[in-house]
Amino acid sequence: MSGKRGLALRRISGHCTVTAQKVMAWYLLDPQGWSFRPDGVREQLIVDGADVLSQLAKREVHLRVTTRPYPVAKWARDHDANAPAPLPAWSKHLTTDQHRLASLSMADKEVYLGVEIPSRSPLLKALGSIGDSLSDSLGGAISQREVTALEKQVRATDELMSSPGLEAAPATPRQLEWLLHRSCSLGLPAPLTLGGVTDEAWDPDDLGEFTDRVNWFATPYGRTIRVVGEHDDRRIERHVCVLSVGRMTDLDIPPGIPWMQRTDELPFPVEWSGRILVEDAAKVGAAMRRNIQKIRAQANHYELEHHEPAPGALERQASRALAVEDEISMGLSGLSTRTTGWYRIAVSGATEDEAIDRASLVRKMYAPQITIARPQDQYAVAREFIPGERLGSTAYRRRMPVTTLAAAVPAATATVGDRVGIHLGQTSGTSARVVTWEPWLATEREEESGLAVLCAGLGGGKSTAGGNIIYRTVIQGVPWTVLDPSGRLTALTQLPELEPYSRAVDLLDAAPGSLSTYRVIAEPDRKHYADEASWRAAMEQAKDTRRLLTSSVMRAMLPKQLQEHVLSEVALMRAVGAVPANAWSSCDQVVTALADLNRGPHGEPTGDAELARHAGYMADFLREAAKTSHGRLIFPAGRPAGENGFEPLLTVYSLRGLALPDESTRGGEDLDERLSMCVMYLAAWLTQRGMYFGDVHARKGIFIDEAWALSTFSSGRRFIDRAARDSRKHNTRVLMASQNPADLLKLDLANLCSAAFIGRLTGEDAQRDALRFIPGIRDGLGYEQIFGTLSRPSRDGLRGPREFVFSDGSGGIERIRMDLSAHPNLLEALNTTAAPDKARNRVERANTPVDAPGQTDGAYAEGLDESDERVSA
């Protein structure tokens, strides 16, 4: 049997569809985040949605869930325009990313809701039979007053649908056109027949565009229908299997996963159609009372006439009917409203067997709580997906409270990131969605701190995540300064496309004085300040920071007995105060001031002899410390490492060979360990200098691994305060990485950061601490265990792409999987299990020469426009 029946639609005007029987206004629901939201927030979302639906009593509602291909071409154009100063390799990089996204066949879920607009039957007949607009004369059959009344009802419905819980907006003509094409071309790749119309009205003769190039073929009692369409003279065929929601057990509210969102986990697109009637409370109450009377009559038949006990099923039915009747009669809100509905699910495949197999997966997903059945008349129930078509079958009618319907939360999806920034990967929770992120959105638009944390245990993928962000933004032309103690990220500087613009510095081999406590604090640049007063205030603040940093670092070098002695702080305070806090001062001057403390110009004692003696001990010890390999980096005056006139885009400071103490031996008696901590701390301050160079408004990036070292110093909090304040002022994204969340919490980062990447953590305390970086989530709700399931090794002990819980700073929180598969050379370079020299050799062999410098206009692939993006069915 071939299906070529015309549409029931007679007219489309604005966001309204008109048939001979009714007018329905269509709305697009706002996507709702669900993952990592407290139960209280979820419950309120369901209650708000139920409250809106309850106000649609006596109206028919058509729920349609469809998909739209991820706008790869638009993302590429916006991403290209967002790149500040692309490198020559940018064009190839962006085209590669674009083809990768197009190959994923990922789609965004779109949820439409059609709401019946009550009106008089003569008005509907006239609107369904003539082609004039609502404001035109309707042949004299309808008065202007009735037309105006209809428009008022539409506006009232618009206002209701925008309420919290649904947050729906009237569908634009383009969106409504998309829905009609997706419904008429059910199961086919999209778009097949999408045109370029943007008008608010469709003439009846134009509605044939939705059906003329698509044919449906059905066999009586067949398992599927066959949908055949044409595109660019190519014949495309899909088999569609339509399922219906059957019996349902009582569902928990709020559920772990909303019952309509479960299909988002499937690796193929799924379409939903729900035809719902919101019942009148009085009518439902009367029906319940009639049912109660019938049940009592049946019970009396058993007990009075035959003197037999009534079946327990009758008692259970009576109790349920009484409960429903009581809710309706005593309910003080619309949450007691009942609904009647038919819920259909459509899956498709290239062959009938593939469609049936996918239908079987849907059944297994919902079993045993919800029964999923396959109606016999596939053609009739498939047409229900088309707006305006009548109900094809009354079988599988489901009656449920409005709260159960609202608990479906059809608009729930993975919402994280943006549509402009770098491609990080895909969500890996309940929905598979593309994740892109603009790291400087927080500082440029939202006026928030640029601080972000990256926390994961051993093998959790900190280097992979940090390196991925750095690489993708450096190739855009954004300068980065990186502190990577292990030196793994120096492989980025060896990639051919970045090598001419990069510099790797091993600080342990740097010139003496490279980590002077005075030089690592950048001198404020006058041009970065609006007036002389603010600049001078910044100069004084820099001097205060130098004094505090010098005192903190030199005290950390001392043995524990000297650190805790009451005179040590007094002596350091006086000695540091005696040295000018300029960028060219040195710790040697402080040691000299300690030795000369409380002595006159000729060496005679002038004050406290005990303080002078104690200061002498400190000076002797620090002189010996200055002779060590680590001490020579700190004590003499010198220029910061790497200052040779070359201004690279990417600077990576490494400390390979630096032995950092573990958590149990921090602050021990070993001088080498204490000096190692000081070197690490000062290297972090040196890295932070990168935000002060260049245009204050230009984008910049800083990455600091092993940030836990900051928490061991008294001035570590000053470092974080400065990073938070100045990152916003200087438009800098600062990434702080550490294995242990507790160390970052000591720095109060949870209250200052604007984004977070939390990877695999196995310790219970670490998992609980990590939740502090996820806004709105408190411990004890069961989210802690999620961190232990990230990047889970396979049976052979290997781990695939690294996973993180990503909080984007704009309210989006999702589980994501980093995707570097489009750039195997980058993935190889970030492979921390390979030796750096071997990694470099593999990268050099795999890479091709860098493109010659030139213009980057048109970096995105023009061929991948919206009409060529496909959703694999």
Side-chain angles (χ1 to χ4, degrees), residues 299-373:
N300 290 338
H301 179 73
Y302 280 95
E303 297 172 351
L304 299 181
E305 297 181 19
H306 296 281
H307 304 287
E308 294 288 340
L314 288 178
E315 183 177 353
R316 290 192 295 271
Q317 292 174 11
S319 298
R320 179 167 297 183
L322 281 170
V324 172
E325 196 273 338
D326 182 65
E327 286 182 13
I328 294 173
S329 61
M330 301 298 293
L332 300 178
S333 69
L335 300 183
S336 59
T337 303
R338 257 49 185 181
T339 65
T340 298
W342 294 262
Y343 304 93
R344 319 294 191 194
I345 307 171
V347 295
S348 59
T351 63
E352 184 177 62
D353 289 340
E354 184 180 31
I356 294 300
D357 289 343
R358 291 179 171 181
S360 178
L361 290 177
V362 175
R363 288 195 189 95
K364 292 177 181 178
M365 173 174 287
Y366 281 97
Q369 281 186 313
I370 301 175
T371 302
I372 303 296

Side-chain angles (χ1 to χ4, degrees), residues 519 521-525 535 539 542-543 546 581-584 689 692 722:
R519 291 289 297 180
I521 305 300
E523 193 79 2
D525 193 331
W535 173 63
M539 292 282 288
K543 291 179 180 180
R546 291 187 183 109
N582 300 314
W584 49 88
R689 285 172 56 95
Y692 301 100
R722 187 182 177 103

Side-chain angles (χ1 to χ4, degrees), residues 441-723:
L441 186 64
T443 54
E444 292 179 345
R445 301 183 190 176
E446 300 177 5
E447 297 185 353
E448 293 185 358
S449 162
L451 275 174
V453 299
L454 207 168
C455 192
L458 287 173
K462 295 193 308 298
S463 297
T464 300
N468 186 30
I469 295 170
I470 293 167
Y471 173 83
R472 292 178 182 274
T473 50
V474 167
I475 208 168
Q476 287 183 309
V478 178
W480 276 84
T481 308
V482 177
L483 174 59
D484 177 33
S486 65
R488 297 296 186 183
L489 294 182
T490 58
L492 293 176
T493 68
Q494 299 160 2
L495 292 171
E497 61 268 33
L498 299 186
E499 189 171 14
Y501 314 97
S502 304
R503 176 176 57 205
V505 180
D506 187 350
L507 289 174
L508 296 187
D509 291 332
S514 294
L515 296 179
S516 168
T517 57
Y518 292 91
R519 291 289 297 180
V520 297
I521 305 300
E523 193 79 2
D525 193 331
R526 174 63 182 85
K527 64 183 179 182
H528 294 166
Y529 298 89
D531 51 56
E532 187 79 11
S534 58
W535 173 63
R536 293 192 178 277
M539 292 282 288
E540 291 301 319
Q541 187 178 42
K543 291 179 180 180
D544 290 342
T545 303
R546 291 187 183 109
R547 296 187 187 99
L548 182 64
L549 177 62
T550 301
S551 177
S552 179
V553 168
M554 297 188 75
R555 185 174 184 178
M557 296 179 188
L558 299 172
K560 189 174 182 181
Q561 295 84 349
L562 287 178
Q563 288 184 32
E564 297 177 351
H565 199 285
V566 66
L567 294 179
S568 295
E569 185 171 358
V570 176
L572 275 175
M573 182 177 63
R574 292 186 181 181
V576 170
V579 175
N582 300 314
W584 49 88
S585 297
S586 72
C587 291
D588 284 337
Q589 295 173 267
V590 178
V591 174
T592 301
L594 278 172
D596 295 339
L597 197 64
N598 290 330
R599 295 182 182 274
H602 302 291
E604 71 280 5
T606 60
D608 190 340
E610 184 179 0
L611 178 61
R613 185 170 55 255
H614 186 84
Y617 295 151
M618 295 172 61
D620 292 340
F621 184 88
L622 292 173
R623 284 196 184 100
E624 295 302 315
K627 298 176 183 179
T628 65
S629 59
H630 295 341
R632 71 177 183 82
L633 297 173
I634 302 172
F635 279 87
R639 296 170 61 86
E643 285 193 3
N644 56 5
F646 171 55
E647 294 296 339
L649 274 178
L650 174 61
T651 301
V652 179
Y653 294 122
S654 63
L655 293 164
R656 280 180 285 193
L658 185 69
L660 292 174
D662 57 29
E663 188 171 359
S664 60
T665 60
R666 295 180 194 176
E669 293 300 322
D670 187 79
L671 173 61
D672 186 63
E673 288 186 350
R674 295 199 303 275
L675 285 173
S676 295
M677 292 297 299
C678 294
V679 167
M680 176 66 196
Y681 183 52
L682 291 172
W685 277 99
L686 176 64
T687 304
Q688 196 187 62
R689 285 172 56 95
M691 79 168 66
Y692 301 100
F693 300 127
D695 184 359
V696 66
H697 301 295
R699 296 173 182 173
K700 294 168 283 291
I702 292 174
F703 177 84
I704 298 178
D705 199 1
E706 304 294 349
W708 60 268
L710 302 175
S711 65
T712 63
F713 288 82
S714 59
S715 56
R717 186 69 179 83
R718 172 67 67 91
F719 181 96
I720 297 303
D721 284 338
R722 187 182 177 103

Side-chain angles (χ1 to χ4, degrees), residues 102-126:
S103 70
L104 293 175
S105 296
M106 288 194 175
D108 295 326
K109 182 168 66 173
E110 291 188 347
V111 182
Y112 294 86
L113 203 63
V115 180
E116 180 183 0
I117 304 298
S119 57
R120 290 172 36 146
S121 180
L123 173 62
L124 295 174
K125 291 181 179 179

